[in-house]
Amino acid sequence: MLLVSFLGVFIGLVMGLTGAGGGILSVPALVVGLGFSMTSAAPVALMAVGISALVGTLDGLSKKIVRYKAALLMAILGALFSHLGITLAHIIPDLFLMTLFSAIMLLVAWRMFRQARQIKNPVQPGASELKPCVLNPTTGKLHWTRRCAATLAGIGALTGLFAGMLGVGGGFIIVPAFKRYTDIDMHSIVATSLAVIALVSMSTVAGIVLHGTRISGMGWNFVGAAVAGMILGRLASPHIPSRLLQIGFSGIATLVAVIMLVKTYWPAAFS
């Protein structure tokens, strides 16, 4: 029971701090750490991620740092393109998909780590305006333009596409994409990522419940511990510099890439 609680809290904490990591880390934790089968681990992981992300979203909304319009747009596009991803998953070989995604994750992790390690330089005049989505300095809200809407729609579509093809959460695409194409601060990026994950995951969770899927007592303990970890992560997040959150994200992204490569080339490790 102690191991269940520890792993659950760890998953929730990672999600709360980085806005990602829950989905892809939950299944290995349940299978390798707790002895679940892949079939029984999937609904537990999804439930833990969905409810935890919802808790994190409510916290972000209370602090007014969730870009909820952007989250809603990305979630809608993500839901639409996830069906295309599922179709492509039956056509493209798993080996190619997993290897490509892992390589992308390692590249994203390296670039974010380098960005976080750079010495702070004064922002050059007009630099933020070069990004598709920028905040209105007067209102503090996103300045919606066709370019910004198209960029966010593209992020959502790509998130859904990879989610459908690989069954991974959207945080690993949303967080670095937001960092690159907007001038939103890291804390708001994490909160918005959790909102997208919550919207997508909870709709899937509802389907699971309606189909009568049952979760064991150990599974519910894991879910509860993940929610507790999320709460701890959201409480700690405002006190952690954005630079450290970026470094933490790059570390988790690297871990995810390694897990996916091991799962692809040495599947016996998860059996």
Side-chain angles (χ1 to χ4, degrees):
M1 192 62 67
L2 183 61
L3 181 60
V4 175
S5 299
F6 172 78
L7 291 176
V9 169
F10 173 73
I11 297 299
L13 190 63
V14 168
M15 285 188 64
L17 291 175
T18 68
I24 193 63
L25 293 178
S26 293
V27 173
L30 289 165
V31 173
V32 179
L34 302 177
F36 279 64
S37 66
M38 289 294 291
T39 303
S40 61
V44 174
L46 186 61
M47 186 73 76
V49 169
I51 296 178
S52 297
L54 180 60
V55 171
T57 300
L58 294 175
D59 173 70
L61 287 171
S62 69
K63 295 175 181 175
K64 298 182 179 180
I65 59 174
V66 175
R67 305 295 166 178
Y68 58 90
K69 292 181 181 178
L72 184 60
L73 175 61
M74 288 189 291
I76 292 173
L77 267 295
L80 292 175
F81 274 80
S82 64
H83 297 290
L84 176 60
I86 293 172
T87 301
L88 291 175
H90 291 89
I91 301 173
I92 303 174
D94 288 346
L95 183 66
F96 176 80
L97 282 176
M98 300 291 268
T99 303
L100 174 63
F101 187 77
S102 297
I104 293 173
M105 287 310 308
L106 289 172
L107 177 62
V108 167
W110 172 243
R111 292 186 64 173
M112 188 163 280
F113 181 75
R114 283 185 58 189
Q115 188 179 36
R117 289 290 302 272
Q118 287 176 351
I119 299 175
K120 292 182 179 180
N121 295 316
V123 178
Q124 296 180 0
S128 63
E129 283 76 3
L130 296 175
K131 296 187 175 185
C133 295
V134 296
L135 296 175
N136 186 321
T138 303
T139 63
K141 298 180 179 180
L142 274 176
H143 180 57
W144 283 90
T145 62
R146 290 183 179 180
R147 187 184 176 206
C148 178
T151 299
L152 295 178
I155 295 172
L158 188 62
T159 299
L161 190 66
F162 272 104
M165 287 194 297
L166 302 172
V168 298
F172 287 110
I173 296 172
I174 297 167
V175 173
F178 252 70
K179 189 66 182 174
R180 181 176 179 84
Y181 296 113
T182 77
D183 62 349
I184 298 173
D185 68 89
M186 191 65 182
H187 294 289
S188 185
I189 289 174
V190 169
T192 304
S193 174
L194 290 174
V196 178
I197 294 171
L199 287 170
V200 175
S201 298
M202 292 310 295
S203 63
T204 310
V205 167
I208 289 177
V209 173
L210 290 175
H211 281 82
T213 299
R214 295 182 179 181
I215 295 178
S216 66
M218 183 184 294
W220 281 116
N221 287 333
F222 181 85
V223 172
V227 172
M230 169 62 73
I231 294 172
L232 290 175
R234 298 310 300 152
L235 289 174
S237 180
H239 306 290
I240 300 176
S242 295
R243 174 177 171 273
L244 291 182
L245 290 180
Q246 287 181 250
I247 293 175
F249 177 89
S250 66
I252 296 299
T254 301
L255 177 60
V256 168
V258 171
I259 289 175
M260 295 187 76
L261 286 173
V262 172
K263 191 175 178 181
T264 302
Y265 290 95
W266 297 279
F270 289 87
S271 61

